[in-house]
Amino acid sequence: MIPSQIGRALTACIIARQPVFLWGPPGVGKSRVAAQTAAALELPLTDIRAVLLDPVDLRGLPHIGQDGRTHWRAPAFLPESGQGVLFLDELNAAPPLVQAACYQLILDRALGEYRLPDGWAVIAAGNRDQDRAVTHRMPSALANRFVHLEFEAHLPDWLAWAETAGIRPEVMAFLRFRPALLHDFDPARSDRSFPSPRSWEFVSTLLAARPDPAVEAALVAGAVGEGAAVEFTAFLRLWRELPDTEGVLADPDAAPAPSDPAVASAICEALGRRASPATMPALARYASRLPAEFGVLLMREAVRNDKAAAATDAFAAWARDNAEVFA
């Protein structure tokens, strides 16, 4: 399932108080989607990294009650009231004894004397066995308690998130040009770094820090691996040599109109961000000079960035002249 579908499925499970397990490769965004879904429902999320726990961490510490008997004080990270989402991340990477403790919490909504409040839902997540990550086989009785959802990366969903998260435009433009590199994880390889939604966010953060040019390529490779870094740094050089957007808007008939796919994709991304009813006449004229598929890309980017641009006469005229490719 793609992230937007996962979000809708999680919403249903949270409302129904049905435990759900998200399966997916490393870096694909499982934790983020769980947090975003809880936030959309205006529910607090308690993130518990099961792999870091010992069984006694969940049960708490013993104390002698007024009745003279031993009781257990539940840990502070377990909720006592209200509504929310209890997120057990990396659950299947936890040792079997920790999984056994979680089993009671998930199956019976209790752990010794502790009771999970009725308003709280349980989401768990973990890597798949074939990902060659550290995992322990989940007991079948525990697995049978969950609804299981398989998570996969999806470029349109990631781009929609990236627009709101402040991801650098050059990163988004590159992944539109090379969508296969959004998530390129092969468990058979021994690469320490590989392209993933999470590692591309690292790249965006690194570029925002304006690193020394002498180490920029090494930083990118350290985030997404050598192969993806070679392609991205080559694209980055093109991005930084693009025709000036101000020049294109000032004279769209004379500005350079690149035919190289990487350069054309990059200039469309940059110009789309300048879209408005006022700039649409210039954008439409420039789009008509690009190869057809990139003219469509520019117009789609323009409308996505400013929907009011679609109501202009310039856009209507361009769409009429390009109806066969814009449909």
Side-chain angles (χ1 to χ4, degrees), residues 53-302:
L53 299 178
D54 288 323
V56 294
D57 294 332
L58 280 169
R59 189 168 187 182
L61 295 175
H63 71 102
I64 305 300
Q66 293 182 352
D67 58 1
R69 303 177 66 183
T70 299
H71 299 268
W72 294 86
R73 293 191 182 277
F77 57 73
L78 291 177
E80 295 183 344
S81 61
Q83 296 181 318
V85 175
L86 189 67
F87 182 51
L88 302 172
D89 203 3
E90 302 180 64
L91 177 57
N92 61 331
L97 286 177
V98 174
Q99 289 193 39
C102 292
Y103 170 87
Q104 185 184 4
L105 183 61
I106 295 164
L107 182 63
D108 301 326
R109 298 179 63 86
L111 195 58
E113 298 175 36
Y114 170 78
R115 296 291 182 269
L116 184 66
D118 292 340
W120 283 73
V122 177
I123 298 175
N127 297 322
R128 306 164 303 182
D129 292 340
Q130 65 265 35
D131 295 326
R132 296 179 66 178
V134 176
T135 60
H136 297 276
R137 183 181 178 276
M138 185 182 296
S140 57
L142 177 57
N144 190 244
R145 179 58 176 167
F146 287 108
V147 168
H148 296 269
L149 303 177
E150 191 83 15
F151 196 115
E152 64 183 54
H154 184 247
L155 183 62
D157 278 4
W158 186 84
L159 290 171
W161 167 81
E163 285 287 347
T164 64
I167 298 299
R168 301 276 296 188
E170 56 266 52
V171 174
M172 291 188 284
F174 173 72
L175 290 174
R176 282 194 176 94
F177 175 64
R178 287 287 280 121
L181 289 179
L182 173 63
H183 194 267
D184 185 21
F185 172 67
D186 182 354
R189 298 197 304 252
S190 58
D191 301 337
R192 288 173 292 184
S193 302
F194 56 90
S196 72
R198 179 167 57 203
S199 58
W200 285 115
E201 185 179 356
F202 295 164
V203 170
S204 178
T205 302
L206 290 168
L207 293 179
R210 300 183 180 277
D212 186 318
V215 301
E216 183 180 75
L219 289 172
V220 173
V224 297
E226 291 288 345
V230 168
E231 291 195 47
F232 180 71
T233 52
F235 179 89
L236 203 54
R237 286 193 294 272
L238 294 174
W239 174 271
R240 290 166 175 167
E241 297 173 1
L242 290 177
D244 177 53
T245 55
E246 290 293 343
V248 173
L249 294 175
D251 192 355
D253 297 317
S259 58
D260 180 274
V263 181
S265 176
I267 191 63
C268 289
E269 174 80 22
L271 285 171
R273 293 174 171 273
R274 302 295 308 278
S276 70
T279 61
M280 183 52 74
L283 293 179
R285 291 208 306 276
Y286 191 71
S288 68
R289 298 180 53 222
L290 295 171
E293 65 272 25
F294 292 106
V296 171
L297 175 61
L298 172 53
M299 289 293 100
R300 284 181 173 160
E301 283 297 296

